[in-house]
Amino acid sequence: MSMGTQSLLIFLLIGLVAGFLASLIVGGGGLIRCLLSGIIGAFVGGFLFNALGISLGIENALVVQIIHATVGAIVVVLIARAIA
């Protein structure tokens, strides 16, 4: 397995976990909806945390990425619900 393929699979797994956690918090749908909200949430969460200068102080990068993506997915779902 090449490094690019492995990175893509890890990114998709983080998105899926984040989307699932967000769906537990704000309610949500199936697998595809969790994956999409988690992937979009990863970008939104990373942007928000960097723009606001928030540092979690956690040394495990995987946990930090899941937290960022989960917060971003929650924001994405809430904005989507407000628009719809």
Side-chain angles (χ1 to χ4, degrees):
M1 184 179 304
S2 71
M3 189 63 164
T5 306
Q6 185 177 8
S7 297
L8 179 64
L9 288 175
I10 291 171
F11 178 71
L12 292 175
L13 183 63
I14 289 171
L16 185 61
V17 169
F20 174 74
L21 292 173
S23 72
L24 288 177
I25 295 170
V26 294
L31 179 68
I32 300 299
R33 188 174 295 174
C34 286
L35 182 62
L36 288 175
S37 67
I39 290 172
I40 296 169
F43 291 108
V44 172
F47 173 76
L48 287 175
F49 276 81
N50 285 334
L52 297 174
I54 298 173
S55 176
L56 299 176
I58 300 173
E59 301 218 6
N60 190 337
L62 185 62
V63 173
V64 170
Q65 290 174 354
I66 290 174
I67 293 171
H68 286 183
T70 303
V71 170
I74 291 169
V75 169
V76 166
V77 169
L78 291 176
I79 289 173
R81 285 186 184 171
I83 291 172

